[in-house]
Amino acid sequence: MRTLIIALILMSFNICCTQNKTDKETVSDIKISDSITKKGDLKTETIKTKLPEGNLRAIVINKWYHDPNAYTQGFLYHNGYLYESTGNYGTSSLRKIELETGKIIKIRQLSNFQFAEGIAIFDNKIYQLTWRNRTCFVYDIASFNLINSFNYDGEGWGLTSNEQHLVMSDGSNKLKFIAPNSFKIVRTISVTDGNKTIDNLNELEFINGEIFANIYMTNYIIRINPHNGEIIGRIDLSPLYKYLPPNSNAEVLNGIAFDNINDRYFVTGKYWEYVFEIKFAKQD
């Protein structure tokens, strides 16, 4: 009988402790650390939710090291790793990166005559655009070996994918939906905000049925309806600049990645020292 009473008391104590711990570990308690997170210490369970329409602002909840010499052109998250395309003639590359440390796990350098742009993953292959070479390279995702290439008209800027197509920007207000196996254009949409067209669509990411796009030389991301090109809302990322070093060589925002398993959003920019994990709040 005494043994049973002791067991019941211990069980009650454990339940109480577990409830208290759970109550304390809320998203509202998360604050960005002063130093770079090495092992991703913010482990909170998230529920996938569709963002509200309208204008939002970004709130930084974590940061990791990012190569400050990387001229970021394409950016995505896949199976626990970041993949990045860096540009400029002579420094263009394709990279697989460990998020928590910024360590480059795998890299493929492009020739000095090629200027890399956006990337997307489709069917275990990485597609990488070039700016004015009018060539899309296709690599095996595991080895980074070149397995195919396609030619296209115009410039290459951003690239992403949904379950059926690649989606490509060229610096205009147009988004082209492209068949991955042939690189033929299936359809094109114009991105508009009311009666106004939105140009300079750059790095892209397909997230929860929307297309997120960096607008070149601005501090915001727009969210696009992929069916008609209408803007769903803007996200102001200007608060991120206060986390960059005062003497930073950082240039414009360019890089959107989404962890669709854990519902995490990552952003960076050209020559930025950090990758930021962000969440969103209504614009004031």
Side-chain angles (χ1 to χ4, degrees):
M1 184 67 178
R2 181 180 299 174
T3 302
L4 177 61
I5 292 172
I6 292 172
L8 290 172
I9 292 172
L10 289 173
M11 183 180 299
S12 176
F13 177 77
N14 288 336
I15 292 172
C16 179
C17 290
T18 301
Q19 289 174 336
N20 289 338
K21 183 177 180 182
T22 304
D23 291 341
K24 291 179 180 178
E25 292 180 345
T26 62
V27 173
S28 62
D29 291 327
I30 294 176
K31 292 182 175 63
I32 184 169
S33 59
D34 292 332
S35 60
I36 301 172
T37 300
K38 292 297 184 182
K39 292 298 179 182
D41 55 348
L42 302 182
K43 294 181 180 177
T44 57
E45 293 185 0
T46 59
I47 300 173
K48 294 183 180 181
T49 55
K50 198 171 182 67
L51 296 177
E53 294 186 6
N55 296 332
L56 306 173
R57 59 186 173 88
I59 300 172
V60 174
I61 60 174
N62 217 334
K63 65 179 179 180
W64 291 273
Y65 173 79
H66 176 251
D67 180 3
N69 297 310
Y71 192 75
T72 306
Q73 298 291 82
F75 200 59
L76 59 84
Y77 184 92
H78 178 74
N79 286 351
Y81 292 94
L82 291 170
Y83 290 81
E84 183 173 22
S85 175
T86 67
N88 278 333
Y89 293 110
T91 58
S92 287
S93 69
L94 175 65
R95 305 177 178 193
K96 178 180 180 179
I97 302 165
E98 187 176 67
L99 169 65
E100 293 82 1
T101 64
K103 179 181 178 182
I104 299 173
I105 305 299
K106 189 182 294 293
I107 186 169
R108 181 186 178 100
Q109 300 284 356
L110 276 69
S111 81
N112 292 338
F113 305 101
Q114 295 163 340
F115 192 122
E117 286 278 349
I119 55 172
I121 291 176
F122 191 95
D123 193 24
N124 290 319
K125 295 185 284 288
I126 301 176
Y127 292 74
Q128 183 181 39
L129 299 178
T130 53
W131 182 30
R132 291 177 170 171
N133 297 93
R134 300 185 176 187
T135 303
C136 177
F137 297 109
V138 186
Y139 310 98
D140 174 75
I141 193 171
S143 65
F144 278 16
N145 289 335
L146 182 67
I147 56 177
N148 204 351
S149 65
F150 297 101
N151 295 324
Y152 51 84
D153 294 328
E155 296 182 354
W157 283 44
L159 194 67
T160 188
S161 65
N162 56 22
E163 294 180 355
Q164 291 182 298
H165 304 113
L166 301 171
V167 184
M168 174 181 170
S169 66
D170 59 9
S172 70
N173 69 308
K174 306 292 186 183
L175 290 178
K176 303 169 185 175
F177 289 72
I178 295 171
N181 292 332
S182 64
F183 220 77
K184 291 184 178 179
I185 298 173
V186 176
R187 67 186 180 97
T188 301
I189 60 174
S190 297
V191 177
T192 58
D193 185 8
N195 295 325
K196 181 182 178 181
T197 58
I198 305 299
D199 296 319
N200 292 322
L201 302 176
N202 204 3
E203 216 273 317
L204 307 173
E205 185 78 4
F206 201 91
I207 302 175
N208 292 334
E210 303 174 5
I211 299 172
F212 284 51
N214 281 121
I215 306 302
Y216 186 52
M217 300 299 292
T218 74
N219 294 332
Y220 61 85
I221 290 169
I222 60 170
R223 298 160 54 203
I224 304 165
N225 183 326
H227 303 291
N228 56 24
E230 293 180 357
I231 290 182
I232 299 167
R234 286 180 168 84
I235 302 171
D236 180 13
L237 276 77
S238 56
L240 274 62
Y241 283 91
K242 68 183 179 182
Y243 296 102
L244 296 174
N247 58 348
S248 172
N249 292 319
E251 294 189 6
V252 298
L253 283 160
N254 202 48
I256 310 164
F258 181 61
D259 174 3
N260 65 349
I261 303 298
N262 299 298
D263 209 34
R264 297 187 295 169
Y265 296 79
F266 305 104
V267 293
T268 192
K270 301 175 187 293
Y271 300 139
W272 281 32
E273 288 89 344
Y274 301 120
V275 170
F276 294 100
E277 181 184 351
I278 58 174
K279 63 178 182 178
F280 307 100
K282 275 287 190 180
Q283 185 73 52
D284 297 330

